[in-house]
């Protein structure tokens, strides 16, 4: 028995050492190919299959109706994007100019909404009296359809361009205002108690405590608002005319050019997706 103990102890130490040393699996060409295939199967195959299924369904519906199919729409898209910035007068411009005009209107209306909605959200969330005073007004105006505001804009501004900007402003201000106010109300009371104990001045309280704590809610409101703004501009431009993606869609409908309407739908979707991804990229950089 005296000779077995050291032997058992040595075996236990060897097993422990063996477990503590990580196993180094050599990376071979086959394992790298397997990892790459797993990544492709997880991230690439599902969306590609979804797009193929969508195209197949589109082609089947087009074969049974007068709707242009994927091939015919693709051929029209090649012609449209061959000269996206041509100009043949104020009402006949390339799709590139129409996208730029729509983005300009969205930028102005959305920027004004951010300048008004975010500061007002901080005030409503921080001051209970103001919040209760504004609650019936916000509850009354927020569910109003965006296009219901267009006649008011045309009556006040007498022009289509500021009326479209007005519709974007009034439609996109609510998500930023409400999300910012909610973020301020959900901020831990301990933060404000510490600020009171330290007797922080108002600007320091805002910049060091309020703003960093509420920033995720603000960015959520900004993301929702940019989606609403891009959604509204197409409908507003269909009614106001002039130039822009909405006007382009309506003009192509009057010319019974359905392929161009489908192209515009894809362009609206792609630009909206890019705007949302841009906001998400900014949100990731400022995450606390």
């Amino acid at each position: 028995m005296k000779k077995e103990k050291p032997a058992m102890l040595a075996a236990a130490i060897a097993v422990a050492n063996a477990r503590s040393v990580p196993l180094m699996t050599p990376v071979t060409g086959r394992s790298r190919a397997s990892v790459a295939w797993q990544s492709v199967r997880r991230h690439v195959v599902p969306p590609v299959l979804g797009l193929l299924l969508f195209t197949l369904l589109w082609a089947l519906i087009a074969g049974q109706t007068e709707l242009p199919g994927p091939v015919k729409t693709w051929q029209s898209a090649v012609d449209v994007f061959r000269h996206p910035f041509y100009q043949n007068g104020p009402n006949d411009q390339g799709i590139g100019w129409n996208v730029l005009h729509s983005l300009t209107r969205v930028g102005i209306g959305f920027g004004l909404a951010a300048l008004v909605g975010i500061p007002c959200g901080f005030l409503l969330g921080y001051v209970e009296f103001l919040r209760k005073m504004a609650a019936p007004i916000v509850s009354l105006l927020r569910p109003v359809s965006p296009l219901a505001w267009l006649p008011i804009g045309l009556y006040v501004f007498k022009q289509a361009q500021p009326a479209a900007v007005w519709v974007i402003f009034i439609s996109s201000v609510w998500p930023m205002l409400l999300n910012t106010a909610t973020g301020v109300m959900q901020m831990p009371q301990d933060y404000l108690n510490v600020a009171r104990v330290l007797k922080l001045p108002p600007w320091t309280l805002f910049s060091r405590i309020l703003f960093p704590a509420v920033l995720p809610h603000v960015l959520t409101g900004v993301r929702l608002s940019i989606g609403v703004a891009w959604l509204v501009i197409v409908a507003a431009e269909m009614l106001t005319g002039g130039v822009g993606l909405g006007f382009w869609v309506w003009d192509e409908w009057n010319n019974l050019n359905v392929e161009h309407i489908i192209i515009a739908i894809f362009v609206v979707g792609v630009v909206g997706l890019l705007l949302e991804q841009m906001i998400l990229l900014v949100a990731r950089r400022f995450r606390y």
Side-chain angles (χ1 to χ4, degrees):
M1 296 294 294
K2 291 182 179 178
K3 292 181 180 179
E4 291 178 357
K5 283 184 179 179
M8 293 176 60
L9 181 61
I13 293 173
V15 170
N17 291 334
R19 288 177 177 174
S20 61
V21 177
L23 295 176
M24 300 298 292
T25 303
V27 180
T28 62
R30 186 175 181 180
S31 62
R32 287 176 180 171
S34 177
V35 171
W37 166 243
Q38 292 293 334
S39 177
V40 169
R41 192 177 65 175
R42 182 177 299 175
H43 300 292
V44 178
V45 172
V48 169
L49 284 178
L51 289 174
L52 288 176
L53 182 62
F54 172 77
T55 306
L56 178 62
L57 184 62
W58 178 11
L60 289 176
I61 294 174
Q64 302 297 323
T65 62
E66 295 181 355
L67 186 72
V71 176
K72 191 175 181 181
T73 304
W74 173 259
Q75 292 171 348
S76 296
V78 172
D79 293 334
V80 167
F81 288 103
R82 185 172 295 163
H83 303 289
F85 292 102
Y86 78 87
Q87 282 190 332
N88 292 330
N91 294 330
D92 186 11
Q93 302 184 27
I95 192 171
W97 290 117
N98 289 284
V99 172
L100 288 179
H101 279 85
S102 295
L103 284 174
T104 302
R105 288 168 180 155
V106 167
I108 297 173
F110 174 77
L112 293 174
L115 288 176
V116 174
I118 294 175
C120 289
F122 273 103
L123 284 176
L124 297 185
Y126 191 68
V127 182
E128 184 180 2
F129 179 79
L130 291 178
R131 184 168 63 251
K132 291 182 177 178
M133 189 173 68
I137 302 173
V138 175
S139 301
L140 180 67
L141 298 183
R142 187 174 60 86
V144 176
S145 172
L147 293 184
W149 294 104
L150 184 59
I152 302 297
L154 291 171
Y155 181 78
V156 172
F157 299 107
K158 312 296 184 187
Q159 292 181 357
Q161 170 80 8
V165 173
W166 154 254
V167 172
I168 296 169
F169 165 79
I170 198 66
S171 304
S172 59
V173 71
W174 306 117
M176 287 187 281
L177 188 149
L178 294 176
N179 275 277
T180 305
T182 302
V184 174
M185 287 188 292
Q186 291 182 354
M187 189 175 62
Q189 186 62 35
D190 293 341
Y191 292 5
L192 299 178
N193 293 336
V194 171
R196 291 192 184 96
V197 170
L198 297 177
K199 296 180 180 179
L200 295 178
W203 174 249
T204 305
L205 171 65
F206 172 78
S207 60
R208 298 296 180 87
I209 297 179
L210 271 178
F211 188 73
V214 180
L215 188 57
H217 290 82
V218 174
L219 292 175
T220 301
V222 169
R223 179 186 169 194
L224 295 175
S225 293
I226 196 68
V228 171
W230 187 243
L231 189 69
V232 168
I233 185 60
V234 176
E237 288 175 344
M238 289 176 73
L239 298 177
T240 56
V243 64
L245 266 177
F247 170 74
W248 197 70
V249 170
W250 191 247
D251 191 47
E252 297 301 327
W253 165 246
N254 290 328
N255 296 326
L256 294 179
N257 199 341
V258 185
E259 296 95 330
H260 287 189
I261 297 175
I262 297 175
I263 293 168
I265 291 173
F266 280 107
V267 170
V268 170
V270 170
V271 174
L273 181 63
L274 291 177
L275 289 175
E276 185 177 0
Q277 292 301 316
M278 184 178 65
I279 297 297
L280 285 175
L281 183 64
V282 174
R284 291 192 189 100
R285 291 180 62 86
F286 288 94
R287 180 169 293 177
Y288 282 83

